[in-house]
């Protein structure tokens, strides 16, 4: 088994922390009458997925020795991009921000610019149709 990189371990710990925080904060959201899923459903599902994914990554690399292997600059750039998310959401809205993040992520993963733009466009369309039109999420 390859040694787990420092950034993979950091991402796993971050996923565990964010998942636990999402589960904790979702408990304070209001419940719907009659047992229907309320606003806490999506954050709870997201919290469970993040928590289990992070724990799975930590379990997978439990015996590996952590080491740096390059690409740290891209990780720091991605973290900076995540820190800008609230500002971008306020300026651009939900769909364009999601598309921008998808395109930037595709470029960071080595996709050609045309493929990254196509990815961003598809994400804009899907987020708009599913979240904004179907689920009524404001943004």
């Amino acid at each position: 088994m390859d040694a787990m990189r420092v950034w993979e371990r950091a991402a796993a710990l971050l996923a565990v922390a964010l998942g636990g925080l999402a589960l904790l904060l979702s408990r304070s959201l209001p419940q719907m009458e009659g047992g229907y899923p309320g606003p806490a459903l999506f954050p709870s599902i997201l919290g469970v997925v993040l928590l289990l994914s992070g724990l799975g990554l930590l379990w997978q690399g439990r015996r590996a020795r952590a080491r740096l292997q390059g690409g740290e600059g891209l990780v720091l750039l991605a973290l900076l991009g995540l820190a800008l998310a609230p500002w971008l959401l306020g300026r651009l809205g939900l769909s364009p921000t999601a598309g921008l993040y998808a395109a930037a992520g595709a470029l960071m993963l080595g996709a050609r610019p045309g493929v990254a733009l196509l990815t961003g466009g598809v994400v804009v369309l899907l987020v708009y149709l599913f979240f904004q039109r179907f689920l009524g999420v404001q943004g």
Side-chain angles (χ1 to χ4, degrees), residues 127-139:
V127 167
Y128 175 75
L129 291 175
F130 184 72
F131 286 100
Q132 292 183 277
R133 299 296 287 175
F134 181 67
L135 292 177
V137 174
Q138 299 298 316

Side-chain angles (χ1 to χ4, degrees), residues 12-133:
L13 290 171
L14 182 62
V16 168
L18 289 176
L21 185 63
L23 283 173
L24 181 69
L25 293 176
S26 68
R27 295 178 54 108
S28 66
L29 294 173
Q31 299 295 320
M32 299 288 290
E33 295 176 9
Y36 292 104
L41 177 65
F42 183 71
S44 298
I45 292 172
L46 180 63
V48 168
V49 168
L50 281 170
L51 190 65
L52 292 177
S53 298
L55 290 173
L57 280 173
L58 288 172
W59 179 259
Q60 178 183 352
R62 67 190 180 282
R63 293 188 183 169
R65 191 172 147 249
R67 58 189 166 106
L68 294 174
Q69 292 184 346
E72 292 82 15
L74 287 177
V75 171
L76 292 175
L77 185 62
L79 290 174
L80 174 64
L82 288 175
L84 291 174
W87 182 79
L88 285 171
L89 280 168
R91 298 274 192 235
L92 302 176
L94 179 62
S95 297
T97 301
L100 179 66
Y101 276 85
L107 284 173
M108 291 174 80
L109 290 171
R112 292 178 295 186
V115 172
L117 286 175
L118 180 63
T119 301
V122 168
V123 167
V124 167
L125 182 65
L126 290 175
V127 167
Y128 175 75
L129 291 175
F130 184 72
F131 286 100
Q132 292 183 277
R133 299 296 287 175

